[in-house]
Amino acid sequence: MVQLICSAAEGLSSFEGFQGWFMIWIAFSMFGYLVLTGLSIAAFVYWYVYPTYEKWCTKTNPRYPSPTYVAGEFFLGGVLGPLAVTFVSSIHLYLIGNGTFRQHCDTPLTWQHRLLSALVGVVIIDFYEWGWHYLGHWVESLWTVHKHHHKYYNPTPFGTIADWPMDNLMRSLYPIVCFAVSLTLFGQYLDIDVLYLGLGFVLQVYGMYLHCGHELECLPYNSKIWNTSFQHYVHHAVSVKNKPFHTGFFVKLWDNLAGSVYVGTQVIPALEDQKLGNRSRERWEKEVEPNLPDYSVLLSPSWWLNNWHLAPGLSIWTM
């Protein structure tokens, strides 16, 4: 049994100084593009490019976002996002590779330790994800950055890390936080492969699910334990400064303790909307299907050239 991350970091760190760090950053970013951007494209094509009546019945917001809206999500989350969320980690991995933090690799190469690392890591990450997200709605300086993520009130899979870079830098600190907490509490580092590859993959896929805009039968919206895509849609649609709802990631525990659980009727799940008779096939055929956005324009360079500045969340690039 080997540690893939440590071996790769050591190999790439054979390039000294800036070049060594840059090689690690690009390599880790490629992992982000492959997993997050790649899977987000596939999910977007499935749910949004080729919608059906049955898929629409599970979409929390019955409206489909415009191409310019999706362009902003894609640019922040699909293009800039992987570069930002791997920036801090690449520095950490470079310092491991050149021997400065070599002790982070000196952990037991056993399945028992890796399983323990996964369980402990999930708890720490989930609390950290909830904590910095919750504070992002209360601290003025953090809200100044985070509010741009909330311009995507009707999220698609591209919204997973559709944040300004500083927000994604905070998100990327989770491995460092896990190492610090585990060392403090247990006197032992967690397995680095589990943190970077295993949990990194799980975080990206679950985050994509939370932002997909559709409710899955296997994860009912009224689950007492898990945050589902419905709760995260509520977070995007209703949460504002000093009034956050469902800032948690995996479990509802932290929001239950903080009293940030949504109990209103302004936003209702797609299943309940069906019961009210608002998702009839007639409505789909007469109102929704004829007005579906043409997302094929997102493949046109000339369309991007003429419309990119209209995308929400990109105001920093027009200043």
CSV table of all heavy atoms in Angstrom, one decimal, residues 2-38:
chain,number,residue,atom,x,y,z
A,2,VAL,N,0.6,2.2,-0.9
A,2,VAL,CA,1.4,3.4,-1.0
A,2,VAL,C,0.6,4.6,-0.9
A,2,VAL,O,-0.7,4.5,-0.9
A,2,VAL,CB,2.1,3.4,-2.4
A,2,VAL,CG1,3.1,2.3,-2.5
A,2,VAL,CG2,1.1,3.4,-3.5
A,3,GLN,N,1.2,5.7,-0.6
A,3,GLN,CA,0.5,7.0,-0.6
A,3,GLN,C,0.7,7.7,-1.9
A,3,GLN,O,1.8,8.2,-2.2
A,3,GLN,CB,1.1,7.8,0.6
A,3,GLN,CG,0.6,7.3,2.0
A,3,GLN,CD,1.3,8.0,3.1
A,3,GLN,OE1,2.5,8.3,3.0
A,3,GLN,NE2,0.6,8.2,4.2
A,4,LEU,N,-0.3,7.8,-2.7
A,4,LEU,CA,-0.2,8.3,-4.0
A,4,LEU,C,0.2,9.8,-4.0
A,4,LEU,O,1.0,10.3,-4.8
A,4,LEU,CB,-1.5,8.1,-4.8
A,4,LEU,CG,-1.9,6.6,-5.0
A,4,LEU,CD1,-3.3,6.6,-5.6
A,4,LEU,CD2,-0.9,5.9,-5.8
A,5,ILE,N,-0.5,10.6,-3.1
A,5,ILE,CA,-0.3,12.0,-3.1
A,5,ILE,C,1.1,12.3,-2.7
A,5,ILE,O,1.8,13.2,-3.4
A,5,ILE,CB,-1.3,12.7,-2.1
A,5,ILE,CG1,-2.7,12.7,-2.6
A,5,ILE,CG2,-0.8,14.1,-1.7
A,5,ILE,CD1,-2.9,13.6,-3.8
A,6,CYS,N,1.7,11.7,-1.7
A,6,CYS,CA,3.1,11.9,-1.3
A,6,CYS,C,4.1,11.6,-2.5
A,6,CYS,O,5.0,12.3,-2.7
A,6,CYS,CB,3.4,11.1,-0.1
A,6,CYS,SG,2.5,11.7,1.4
A,7,SER,N,3.8,10.5,-3.1
A,7,SER,CA,4.7,10.1,-4.2
A,7,SER,C,4.7,11.1,-5.4
A,7,SER,O,5.7,11.5,-5.9
A,7,SER,CB,4.3,8.7,-4.8
A,7,SER,OG,4.4,7.7,-3.7
A,8,ALA,N,3.4,11.5,-5.7
A,8,ALA,CA,3.3,12.5,-6.8
A,8,ALA,C,3.9,13.8,-6.4
A,8,ALA,O,4.6,14.5,-7.2
A,8,ALA,CB,1.8,12.7,-7.1
A,9,ALA,N,3.7,14.3,-5.1
A,9,ALA,CA,4.3,15.5,-4.7
A,9,ALA,C,5.8,15.5,-4.7
A,9,ALA,O,6.4,16.5,-5.1
A,9,ALA,CB,3.8,15.9,-3.3
A,10,GLU,N,6.4,14.4,-4.3
A,10,GLU,CA,7.8,14.3,-4.3
A,10,GLU,C,8.3,14.3,-5.7
A,10,GLU,O,9.4,15.0,-6.0
A,10,GLU,CB,8.2,13.0,-3.6
A,10,GLU,CG,8.0,13.0,-2.1
A,10,GLU,CD,8.3,11.6,-1.5
A,10,GLU,OE1,8.8,10.7,-2.2
A,10,GLU,OE2,8.1,11.5,-0.3
A,11,GLY,N,7.6,13.6,-6.6
A,11,GLY,CA,8.1,13.6,-8.0
A,11,GLY,C,8.0,15.0,-8.7
A,11,GLY,O,9.0,15.4,-9.3
A,12,LEU,N,6.9,15.7,-8.5
A,12,LEU,CA,6.8,17.0,-9.1
A,12,LEU,C,7.7,18.1,-8.4
A,12,LEU,O,8.0,19.1,-9.0
A,12,LEU,CB,5.3,17.5,-9.0
A,12,LEU,CG,4.3,16.7,-9.9
A,12,LEU,CD1,2.9,17.0,-9.5
A,12,LEU,CD2,4.6,16.9,-11.3
A,13,SER,N,8.0,17.8,-7.1
A,13,SER,CA,8.9,18.8,-6.4
A,13,SER,C,10.3,18.6,-6.8
A,13,SER,O,11.2,19.4,-6.3
A,13,SER,CB,8.7,18.6,-4.8
A,13,SER,OG,7.4,18.9,-4.4
A,14,SER,N,10.6,17.7,-7.6
A,14,SER,CA,12.0,17.6,-8.1
A,14,SER,C,12.4,18.8,-8.9
A,14,SER,O,13.5,19.2,-9.1
A,14,SER,CB,12.1,16.3,-9.0
A,14,SER,OG,11.3,16.4,-10.1
A,15,PHE,N,11.3,19.5,-9.4
A,15,PHE,CA,11.5,20.9,-10.0
A,15,PHE,C,11.6,21.8,-8.8
A,15,PHE,O,10.7,21.9,-8.0
A,15,PHE,CB,10.4,21.2,-10.9
A,15,PHE,CG,10.2,20.3,-12.1
A,15,PHE,CD1,9.3,19.2,-12.0
A,15,PHE,CD2,10.9,20.5,-13.3
A,15,PHE,CE1,9.2,18.4,-13.1
A,15,PHE,CE2,10.8,19.6,-14.3
A,15,PHE,CZ,9.9,18.6,-14.3
A,16,GLU,N,12.6,22.6,-8.8
A,16,GLU,CA,12.9,23.4,-7.6
A,16,GLU,C,12.1,24.7,-7.7
A,16,GLU,O,11.8,25.2,-8.8
A,16,GLU,CB,14.3,23.7,-7.4
A,16,GLU,CG,15.2,22.5,-7.1
A,16,GLU,CD,16.6,22.8,-6.9
A,16,GLU,OE1,17.0,24.0,-7.0
A,16,GLU,OE2,17.4,21.9,-6.6
A,17,GLY,N,11.8,25.3,-6.5
A,17,GLY,CA,11.2,26.6,-6.4
A,17,GLY,C,9.9,26.8,-7.0
A,17,GLY,O,9.0,25.9,-6.9
A,18,PHE,N,9.7,27.9,-7.7
A,18,PHE,CA,8.4,28.3,-8.3
A,18,PHE,C,7.9,27.2,-9.2
A,18,PHE,O,6.8,26.9,-9.3
A,18,PHE,CB,8.5,29.6,-9.0
A,18,PHE,CG,7.3,30.0,-9.7
A,18,PHE,CD1,6.2,30.6,-9.0
A,18,PHE,CD2,7.1,29.8,-11.1
A,18,PHE,CE1,5.0,31.0,-9.7
A,18,PHE,CE2,6.0,30.1,-11.8
A,18,PHE,CZ,4.9,30.7,-11.1
A,19,GLN,N,8.8,26.7,-10.0
A,19,GLN,CA,8.4,25.7,-11.0
A,19,GLN,C,7.9,24.5,-10.4
A,19,GLN,O,6.9,23.9,-10.9
A,19,GLN,CB,9.6,25.3,-11.9
A,19,GLN,CG,9.2,24.4,-13.1
A,19,GLN,CD,10.4,24.1,-14.0
A,19,GLN,OE1,11.5,24.4,-13.7
A,19,GLN,NE2,10.1,23.4,-15.1
A,20,GLY,N,8.5,24.0,-9.3
A,20,GLY,CA,8.0,22.8,-8.6
A,20,GLY,C,6.6,23.0,-8.1
A,20,GLY,O,5.7,22.2,-8.2
A,21,TRP,N,6.4,24.2,-7.4
A,21,TRP,CA,5.0,24.5,-6.9
A,21,TRP,C,4.0,24.6,-8.0
A,21,TRP,O,2.9,24.1,-8.0
A,21,TRP,CB,5.0,25.8,-6.1
A,21,TRP,CG,3.6,26.3,-5.9
A,21,TRP,CD1,2.6,25.8,-5.1
A,21,TRP,CD2,3.0,27.4,-6.7
A,21,TRP,NE1,1.5,26.5,-5.3
A,21,TRP,CE2,1.7,27.5,-6.3
A,21,TRP,CE3,3.5,28.2,-7.7
A,21,TRP,CZ2,0.8,28.4,-6.8
A,21,TRP,CZ3,2.6,29.1,-8.3
A,21,TRP,CH2,1.3,29.2,-7.8
A,22,PHE,N,4.4,25.3,-9.1
A,22,PHE,CA,3.5,25.5,-10.2
A,22,PHE,C,3.1,24.2,-10.9
A,22,PHE,O,1.9,24.0,-11.2
A,22,PHE,CB,4.2,26.4,-11.3
A,22,PHE,CG,3.3,26.8,-12.4
A,22,PHE,CD1,2.3,27.7,-12.3
A,22,PHE,CD2,3.4,26.2,-13.7
A,22,PHE,CE1,1.5,28.1,-13.3
A,22,PHE,CE2,2.6,26.5,-14.7
A,22,PHE,CZ,1.6,27.5,-14.5
A,23,MET,N,4.0,23.2,-11.0
A,23,MET,CA,3.7,21.9,-11.6
A,23,MET,C,2.6,21.2,-10.7
A,23,MET,O,1.7,20.6,-11.2
A,23,MET,CB,5.0,21.1,-11.7
A,23,MET,CG,6.0,21.6,-12.7
A,23,MET,SD,5.5,21.4,-14.4
A,23,MET,CE,5.6,19.6,-14.6
A,24,ILE,N,2.8,21.3,-9.4
A,24,ILE,CA,1.8,20.6,-8.5
A,24,ILE,C,0.5,21.3,-8.6
A,24,ILE,O,-0.6,20.7,-8.6
A,24,ILE,CB,2.4,20.7,-7.0
A,24,ILE,CG1,3.6,19.8,-6.9
A,24,ILE,CG2,1.2,20.3,-6.0
A,24,ILE,CD1,4.2,19.8,-5.5
A,25,TRP,N,0.5,22.7,-8.6
A,25,TRP,CA,-0.8,23.4,-8.7
A,25,TRP,C,-1.5,23.0,-10.0
A,25,TRP,O,-2.7,22.8,-10.0
A,25,TRP,CB,-0.5,24.9,-8.7
A,25,TRP,CG,-1.7,25.8,-8.7
A,25,TRP,CD1,-2.9,25.5,-8.1
A,25,TRP,CD2,-1.8,27.0,-9.4
A,25,TRP,NE1,-3.8,26.6,-8.4
A,25,TRP,CE2,-3.1,27.5,-9.1
A,25,TRP,CE3,-1.0,27.8,-10.1
A,25,TRP,CZ2,-3.6,28.7,-9.6
A,25,TRP,CZ3,-1.4,29.0,-10.6
A,25,TRP,CH2,-2.7,29.5,-10.4
A,26,ILE,N,-0.8,23.0,-11.1
A,26,ILE,CA,-1.5,22.7,-12.4
A,26,ILE,C,-2.0,21.2,-12.4
A,26,ILE,O,-3.1,20.9,-12.8
A,26,ILE,CB,-0.6,22.9,-13.6
A,26,ILE,CG1,-0.2,24.4,-13.7
A,26,ILE,CG2,-1.2,22.4,-14.8
A,26,ILE,CD1,-1.5,25.3,-13.9
A,27,ALA,N,-1.2,20.3,-11.8
A,27,ALA,CA,-1.6,18.9,-11.8
A,27,ALA,C,-2.8,18.7,-10.9
A,27,ALA,O,-3.8,18.0,-11.3
A,27,ALA,CB,-0.5,18.0,-11.3
A,28,PHE,N,-2.9,19.4,-9.8
A,28,PHE,CA,-4.0,19.2,-8.9
A,28,PHE,C,-5.3,19.9,-9.5
A,28,PHE,O,-6.4,19.5,-9.3
A,28,PHE,CB,-3.7,19.8,-7.5
A,28,PHE,CG,-4.6,19.2,-6.4
A,28,PHE,CD1,-5.1,18.0,-6.5
A,28,PHE,CD2,-4.8,20.0,-5.3
A,28,PHE,CE1,-5.9,17.5,-5.5
A,28,PHE,CE2,-5.6,19.5,-4.3
A,28,PHE,CZ,-6.2,18.2,-4.3
A,29,SER,N,-5.0,21.0,-10.2
A,29,SER,CA,-6.1,21.7,-10.9
A,29,SER,C,-6.8,20.8,-11.9
A,29,SER,O,-8.0,20.8,-12.1
A,29,SER,CB,-5.7,23.0,-11.5
A,29,SER,OG,-5.2,23.9,-10.5
A,30,MET,N,-5.9,20.1,-12.6
A,30,MET,CA,-6.4,19.2,-13.7
A,30,MET,C,-7.4,18.1,-13.1
A,30,MET,O,-8.4,17.7,-13.7
A,30,MET,CB,-5.3,18.5,-14.4
A,30,MET,CG,-4.4,19.4,-15.3
A,30,MET,SD,-5.4,20.2,-16.6
A,30,MET,CE,-5.5,21.9,-15.8
A,31,PHE,N,-7.0,17.7,-11.9
A,31,PHE,CA,-7.9,16.8,-11.1
A,31,PHE,C,-9.3,17.4,-10.9
A,31,PHE,O,-10.3,16.8,-11.1
A,31,PHE,CB,-7.3,16.3,-9.8
A,31,PHE,CG,-8.2,15.5,-8.9
A,31,PHE,CD1,-8.4,14.2,-9.2
A,31,PHE,CD2,-8.8,16.0,-7.8
A,31,PHE,CE1,-9.2,13.4,-8.4
A,31,PHE,CE2,-9.6,15.2,-7.0
A,31,PHE,CZ,-9.8,13.9,-7.3
A,32,GLY,N,-9.3,18.7,-10.5
A,32,GLY,CA,-10.5,19.4,-10.3
A,32,GLY,C,-11.3,19.6,-11.6
A,32,GLY,O,-12.5,19.5,-11.6
A,33,TYR,N,-10.6,19.9,-12.7
A,33,TYR,CA,-11.3,20.1,-13.9
A,33,TYR,C,-11.9,18.8,-14.4
A,33,TYR,O,-13.1,18.8,-14.9
A,33,TYR,CB,-10.3,20.6,-15.0
A,33,TYR,CG,-10.0,22.1,-14.9
A,33,TYR,CD1,-8.7,22.5,-14.8
A,33,TYR,CD2,-11.0,23.0,-14.9
A,33,TYR,CE1,-8.4,23.9,-14.7
A,33,TYR,CE2,-10.7,24.4,-14.9
A,33,TYR,CZ,-9.4,24.8,-14.7
A,33,TYR,OH,-9.1,26.1,-14.6
A,34,LEU,N,-11.2,17.7,-14.2
A,34,LEU,CA,-11.7,16.4,-14.6
A,34,LEU,C,-12.9,16.0,-13.8
A,34,LEU,O,-13.9,15.6,-14.4
A,34,LEU,CB,-10.6,15.4,-14.5
A,34,LEU,CG,-10.9,13.9,-14.9
A,34,LEU,CD1,-11.2,13.8,-16.4
A,34,LEU,CD2,-9.8,13.0,-14.5
A,35,VAL,N,-12.8,16.1,-12.5
A,35,VAL,CA,-13.9,15.6,-11.7
A,35,VAL,C,-15.0,16.6,-11.6
A,35,VAL,O,-16.2,16.3,-11.9
A,35,VAL,CB,-13.4,15.3,-10.2
A,35,VAL,CG1,-14.5,14.9,-9.3
A,35,VAL,CG2,-12.3,14.2,-10.3
A,36,LEU,N,-14.7,17.8,-11.2
A,36,LEU,CA,-15.8,18.8,-10.9
A,36,LEU,C,-16.4,19.4,-12.2
A,36,LEU,O,-17.6,19.3,-12.5
A,36,LEU,CB,-15.4,19.9,-10.0
A,36,LEU,CG,-16.4,20.9,-9.6
A,36,LEU,CD1,-17.6,20.2,-8.9
A,36,LEU,CD2,-15.9,21.9,-8.6
A,37,THR,N,-15.5,20.0,-13.0
A,37,THR,CA,-16.0,20.6,-14.3
A,37,THR,C,-16.6,19.6,-15.2
A,37,THR,O,-17.6,19.7,-15.8
A,37,THR,CB,-14.9,21.4,-14.9
A,37,THR,OG1,-14.4,22.4,-14.0
A,37,THR,CG2,-15.5,22.2,-16.1
A,38,GLY,N,-15.9,18.4,-15.3
A,38,GLY,CA,-16.3,17.4,-16.2
A,38,GLY,C,-17.6,16.8,-15.8
A,38,GLY,O,-18.6,16.7,-16.7
